[in-house]
Amino acid sequence: MNQDNKSPYWQVLPAAIALAGIIVYIFATFGPPASSSGFVSTLKGFLNYFAPDYISNKEHYLMIPGPGSWLMSFVIGMAIGGFIGGRTFSKKVEDVPKVWVDRFGDSRPKRYAATFLGGFLILFSSRMAGGCTLGLFISGSTQLALSGIYFGAVIFAAAMLTSRLVYGQQK
Amino acid sequence: MFFLVFFQVFFFGFIIQRIGATNPHKMAKAHLMKDPAIPQFMLLAIVFSAIGLFGLQATGIDKTVILPTSLVATSLAAIIFGMGWGLAGYCPGTCWAAMGEGRMDAVFAFFGGLLGTAIFAHFHEWIIPRLYMPTNIGRLTLADIAGNKYIGLIILLILFIGGVWTINKYWGHEKN
């Protein structure tokens, strides 16, 4: 919490209170917020055109609503929030993050291949567990759910270990 | 309804951008125990949300959905998730916001995510009965374990505020 005042990023405490206000508001209006379900809704929308017979008997597409639901507006709102956040921010975005460049160089294909694989892993596993950082860990823990607290503890531990293997010991 | 969701979630994406959760450099530094901001932000957001939801439920509005814990599937999924998160620096939610922010590597994470979703959905009928259901211990909460929702909430607050304290103590304080 000892952030430099010159950092363009917000302080932790007020940002956490602001986010909590929105989370409680979403709980009051729709239910637990979730974002990995938005991936299922997106796919379901596409497959509805190309393979309607396929999704009509697949359990996973039956249990998540299609792109007309609030889950879809949620993730699109998330992207728009990111867009406006990025446009009004003093720091430029990089396609290859600095910590990655220091370790693997600035090759874009290498970085894109890694995030593609990472994206695959996080969504495959989120769908297996029933939610992601938001839908299972944050929403779950807010409701005191054991599944959320446990999932959160294990993802942090696994991510900390993985980042050490990927980026090596940093001084 | 669309505008309502739009309005509330616009701020969600905006806030996570402003705390740096859409920046994979900052996320990697959090995982490497160099920058405490993101994990502390997450834990504190849960602390305040849990208190807020507790109050909300007292007014009779209750739209909670408790997900079950499966000892095998939840553990395995969490380990795979952590590997992907540590590698890419994105989680499913921040990936959407980071795409909006204009990060090209997030676009690749997004397409990887769509493929991961499609593969899981395809094998759902095979995976869930084998890995998820046999060790499903149900929709447990801290309130069930403590036997009382007030004590359940207090346990959560102690755990998570303890987490914030631990991170403050053991993480470096790099400026990113």
Side-chain angles (χ1 to χ4, degrees):
Chain A
M1 269 182 278
N2 307 324
Q3 272 195 327
D4 189 356
N5 286 330
K6 276 174 296 201
S7 165
Y9 289 108
W10 282 0
Q11 299 279 321
V12 168
L13 189 64
I17 294 172
L19 192 77
I22 293 164
I23 291 174
V24 174
Y25 183 58
I26 297 172
F27 261 108
T29 44
F30 297 102
S35 45
S36 73
S37 311
F39 281 81
V40 186
S41 294
T42 307
L43 268 183
K44 191 174 176 177
F46 279 112
L47 292 174
N48 238 335
Y49 282 106
F50 301 114
D53 296 338
Y54 172 72
I55 60 165
S56 66
N57 54 35
K58 293 303 275 180
E59 175 65 29
H60 207 74
Y61 293 110
L62 294 173
M63 62 187 238
I64 304 282
S69 76
W70 74 272
L71 285 168
M72 194 68 212
S73 351
F74 183 90
V75 288
I76 292 175
M78 197 91 136
I80 296 169
F83 173 75
I84 297 175
R87 291 305 105 176
T88 56
F89 201 53
S90 58
K91 217 170 154 173
K92 289 266 174 292
V93 299
E94 315 110 354
D95 290 337
V96 184
K98 191 181 168 295
V99 64
W100 182 275
V101 174
D102 291 347
R103 176 81 170 168
F104 300 105
D106 57 3
S107 157
R108 280 162 196 259
K110 210 191 250 182
R111 169 66 184 165
Y112 295 164
T115 54
F116 186 86
L117 175 63
F120 180 93
L121 294 175
I122 56 176
L123 262 303
F124 183 88
S125 54
S126 292
R127 299 324 305 154
M128 191 196 301
C132 54
T133 319
L134 178 59
L136 184 52
F137 174 50
I138 296 182
S139 290
S141 305
T142 296
Q143 304 168 82
L144 312 180
L146 212 59
S147 51
I149 299 165
Y150 174 64
F151 186 76
V154 180
I155 60 174
F156 264 112
M160 285 166 67
L161 207 66
T162 307
S163 67
R164 264 170 207 250
L165 294 173
V166 170
Y167 298 111
Q169 276 294 349
Q170 302 221 329
K171 59 165 175 25
Chain B
M1 186 190 93
F2 184 83
F3 283 102
L4 185 65
V5 186
F6 183 80
F7 180 74
Q8 62 199 23
V9 180
F10 153 72
F11 282 108
F12 202 111
F14 188 82
I15 293 168
I16 65 169
Q17 191 277 333
R18 276 295 189 266
I19 201 73
T22 57
N23 180 350
H25 174 77
K26 208 167 160 65
M27 188 67 92
K29 291 292 185 181
H31 289 150
L32 290 165
M33 300 177 72
K34 301 286 178 196
D35 184 341
I38 298 170
Q40 287 186 328
F41 164 72
M42 289 167 71
L43 293 177
L44 283 173
I46 292 168
V47 163
F48 293 116
S49 301
I51 296 169
L53 183 68
F54 200 81
L56 187 69
Q57 286 172 318
T59 68
I61 301 170
D62 193 348
K63 295 188 179 168
T64 53
V65 180
I66 308 283
L67 291 171
T69 310
S70 162
L71 295 178
V72 172
T74 308
S75 311
L76 183 66
I79 292 167
I80 300 172
F81 188 97
M83 289 163 58
W85 195 22
L87 176 65
Y90 291 117
C91 58
T94 65
C95 174
W96 290 89
M99 275 200 296
E101 205 186 359
R103 292 180 189 275
M104 201 55 201
D105 55 351
V107 175
F108 282 83
F110 174 77
F111 283 110
L114 283 182
L115 184 67
T117 308
I119 303 273
F120 181 81
H122 187 76
F123 293 105
H124 177 105
E125 286 85 355
W126 193 91
I127 295 170
I128 294 295
R130 283 171 182 77
L131 294 180
Y132 200 101
M133 297 321 287
T135 52
N136 183 351
I137 55 171
R139 300 170 189 273
L140 288 176
T141 68
L142 288 177
D144 299 326
I145 292 170
N148 174 319
K149 60 178 185 168
Y150 295 96
I151 300 174
L153 179 66
I154 290 167
I155 295 173
L156 182 93
L157 299 186
I158 292 171
L159 275 176
F160 280 45
I161 292 171
V164 173
W165 182 84
T166 307
I167 290 165
N168 206 44
K169 187 165 160 68
Y170 292 102
W171 261 243
H173 291 271
E174 242 176 46
K175 309 285 180 286
N176 287 299

